[in-house]
Structure formats: structure tokens, C-alpha cells
Amino acid sequence: MKILGILFCAVIALVGSFFGHAMPVVGGIIFSIILGILINNTMKLPFSLQGGIKFSSKKILQYSIILMGFTLNLRVVAEMGISSLPITLTTITAALVASYLLGKWLGINENIRTLIGVGTAICGGSAIAAASPIIDAKEDEVAFSLSTIFLFNIIAVFLFPLMGHGFGLSDIGFGHFAGTAINDTSSVVAAGYAYSETAGDTATIVKLVRALMIIPVCLLLVAIQMKGHKQADFSIKKVFPWFILYFFLASVFTTIVDLPEEVIGYIKVISTFMISMAMAGIGLSVSVKKFISIGMKPVLLGASVWFVVAALSLVMQWVLNIW
């Protein structure tokens, strides 16, 4: 039953929130993922918890983002999405090109460098899951790519807020930085809200717009595969991140219906706690031994592409006067 794993994540989130309240500089979201990692790597968790842990790390995160839509006016969402589009398109292009060239230079096979490039460019594990059947990737290639991307997702949650403060980024600036340069939605949300509420709102919107790019990129991969006479198993219905649509619909509702500030305050508290639960679930999925076994070349490729994306994101912000 999933309920046991969900409750386990909720308990960790409660403890993480307690520590986060005591140390707001770190925050409950960060403490939740730290506790999850520590627990998973110091004790053997029963199998009965796994279903709920997986549900928390994926579905509860999506539900928290949808809920967040009720706190954001559609006008704000549209403005943020449009302002971030030049950075998003530039960083996605750079990630795909860098992954192809660097991966070729390092002697990494085509499928792995494609998956790492797509995962870094768009939305981490979701993009890899969408692209893998198109390029007919093997299970070990998918596992290597997912592990590499996941490693940098975890690092980003801790590193990016420190970098933001070090560079003196504004809340809006950090939101754009996290939204365009961190791989996975979960890590974007965690890092954003660890920085500030405004940074978290901005990062989430920017990231959701970026995640929509999964469709044109997958269509491009389909075209390449068809040119190479390979069968491409592709369905827009499977690839489309539906929770983004629901997020926008929630934002439309809030724009039409003027919700009381008190209600919006409660929604923010609930959605933040749900994010902490999701982070606990992700932490409980992290295996230090698994990361050690990946090997250096995919990790080096992932780090290099990630550096290119992060650096270009900051440069584009400076050019566009967002920083």
C-alpha cells in the first residue's frame, strides 16, 4: 500500500519543517531532502514503503505545483514565461550542442550523450523518459543518464542558493537562474523556495515554460530517427507534462476569482509542505553507492553541459538586464 510510504515522507517533512523553522537560512525543504538521503543510506527501508515514496517524489510534487497555481495570477505567469523565453531557448540549444560535441570528444556513445543533453536541456528524468523510446535506448543507457542527471539535481539544491547569494542575485534573477539552469522540476522548486518565496514562484513558472520544450525537442528526435530509417515510438499525449496545463488552469481560476489573502496564505503553506514531502521522497531514493558506480565519463559530460547551461543563463540574464 502506498499510504505507508506517503506517511513516512510526511513525517520526514514534518521533522524537516521543524528544523527549517529553527534555521530558516536552510529551510524545511532542504532539511527534508537531507534527512531522506541520510535515512536511505544508513538503514534498509522495507519494501512496503517504496510505492508511497515513489508516489511522493513524483505525484505529490506535481500536485503541489498545481496547487501553487491558485496563488499566482495568470498575468504574472505570462509575463515571467515570456521574459524567460530567450534564456530558455538559448540554454536548451547550447545544452544539446555541447552534449553532442563533448560527448563525441569523450567517446561516449550516441544514446547516452543524447539523453544527458536532453535531460540537462529540458527537465531531467522526464525528458530522458520521453526521449529514450524514440532513440531506442537500452536500459543501462537510460540508467546511466538518469543517475548522472539525478546527481546534479541533488547538488543543485544545495549549491544554487549559495551561488545566488554569492553573485548577489535578486529574487527574480535567482528564479530565472534556477528555472533555466537546474535540470529537474523538483530541484528547481526546492532551490527556488530555499532562496525566497518570490524566487520559488519565479523559478517554478520559468521551469514549467522550459518543460514545454520537451515536445519540439522530441519531435526533432523523431525526425532524426526517421531520417536514419529507425522506428520512433512517439506520442504527444505520452510526452506532454499534463500537470503544467492544470497549473495554468489553476492560475486562470485565481485570475478570474479573487481569492482572499488568508486562503492564498493557507494554500502556500500546504503546497510548501507537499514540496517538502516530495523532497523527502527524492532523498529516500538517493543511493550513494549507485552514484559511485556510474563511472567518470558520463559524470564529466553531465557536469560540463550543466556548467555551459548555468554560465549561459547568467550571461543572458546580464544581457537582458534581469540580473
Side-chain angles (χ1 to χ4, degrees):
M1 288 179 67
K2 292 178 182 177
I3 189 66
L4 292 175
I6 294 171
L7 288 173
F8 189 55
C9 290
V11 170
I12 294 173
L14 278 171
V15 176
S17 298
F18 173 79
F19 283 118
H21 183 72
M23 294 180 64
V25 175
V26 180
I29 292 171
I30 303 295
F31 272 118
S32 296
I33 195 170
I34 291 173
L35 288 170
I37 293 171
L38 289 174
I39 291 169
N40 191 50
N41 288 276
T42 54
M43 62 180 71
K44 187 173 176 61
L45 297 175
F47 181 76
S48 59
L49 296 177
Q50 296 305 320
I53 290 171
K54 188 175 181 180
F55 182 86
S56 297
S57 64
K58 297 291 183 184
K59 293 297 182 182
I60 287 184
L61 176 72
Q62 293 180 6
Y63 297 153
S64 71
I65 290 171
I66 294 168
L67 198 59
M68 209 180 297
F70 288 105
T71 70
L72 296 167
N73 188 288
L74 184 63
R75 199 173 295 108
V76 176
V77 173
E79 287 173 0
M80 289 290 182
I82 292 169
S83 69
S84 68
L85 205 54
I87 307 174
T88 297
L89 295 175
T90 304
T91 52
I92 286 175
T93 303
L96 295 174
V97 172
S99 182
Y100 175 79
L101 295 176
L102 290 170
K104 201 169 185 179
W105 181 67
L106 288 168
I108 296 171
N109 80 50
E110 185 179 353
N111 281 352
I112 290 179
R113 65 177 185 250
T114 298
L115 293 177
I116 288 177
V118 169
T120 306
I122 307 170
C123 51
S126 300
I128 289 173
S132 55
I134 297 173
I135 64 173
D136 197 24
K138 297 174 183 175
E139 286 186 10
D140 61 332
E141 293 170 337
V142 175
F144 259 54
S145 304
L146 282 171
S147 299
T148 302
I149 293 297
F150 195 56
L151 171 63
F152 293 109
N153 287 338
I154 300 300
I155 293 172
V157 173
F158 302 105
L159 181 63
F160 266 59
L162 295 175
M163 289 174 64
H165 288 300
F167 288 131
L169 294 178
S170 65
D171 291 341
I172 299 295
F174 183 79
H176 279 80
F177 181 44
T180 54
I182 298 178
N183 304 331
D184 201 71
T185 305
S186 58
S187 298
V188 170
V189 172
Y193 283 101
Y195 200 78
S196 75
E197 187 176 306
T198 301
D201 290 345
T202 305
T204 301
I205 295 166
V206 171
K207 176 58 182 175
L208 296 185
V209 171
R210 178 181 164 202
L212 290 173
M213 296 299 110
I214 194 173
I215 296 172
V217 169
C218 282
L219 287 171
L220 176 64
L221 289 175
V222 169
I224 293 170
Q225 295 301 102
M226 289 175 69
K227 190 177 180 180
H229 305 293
K230 291 183 182 179
Q231 293 294 322
D233 179 18
F234 177 76
S235 165
I236 288 181
K237 187 177 179 181
K238 288 181 182 178
V239 166
F240 189 81
W242 291 101
F243 72 96
I244 298 177
L245 174 62
Y246 302 138
F247 167 85
F248 282 113
L249 289 176
S251 183
V252 169
F253 178 84
T254 300
T255 306
I256 297 170
V257 179
D258 190 20
L259 293 175
E261 283 298 318
E262 191 176 74
V263 172
I264 291 175
Y266 285 129
I267 291 173
K268 286 182 177 179
V269 170
I270 294 168
S271 64
T272 302
F273 182 74
M274 288 170 70
I275 293 168
S276 294
M277 283 181 65
M279 290 305 109
I282 288 171
L284 291 168
S285 306
V286 172
S287 170
V288 174
K289 289 181 181 178
K290 189 175 181 181
F291 286 139
I292 293 171
S293 70
I294 294 171
M296 283 310 297
K297 281 190 176 182
V299 172
L300 182 58
L301 176 61
S304 301
V305 176
W306 191 37
F307 175 79
V308 168
V309 169
L312 192 55
S313 173
L314 289 173
V315 169
M316 286 296 293
Q317 280 199 66
W318 180 76
V319 170
L320 296 170
N321 202 28
I322 295 174
W323 189 337

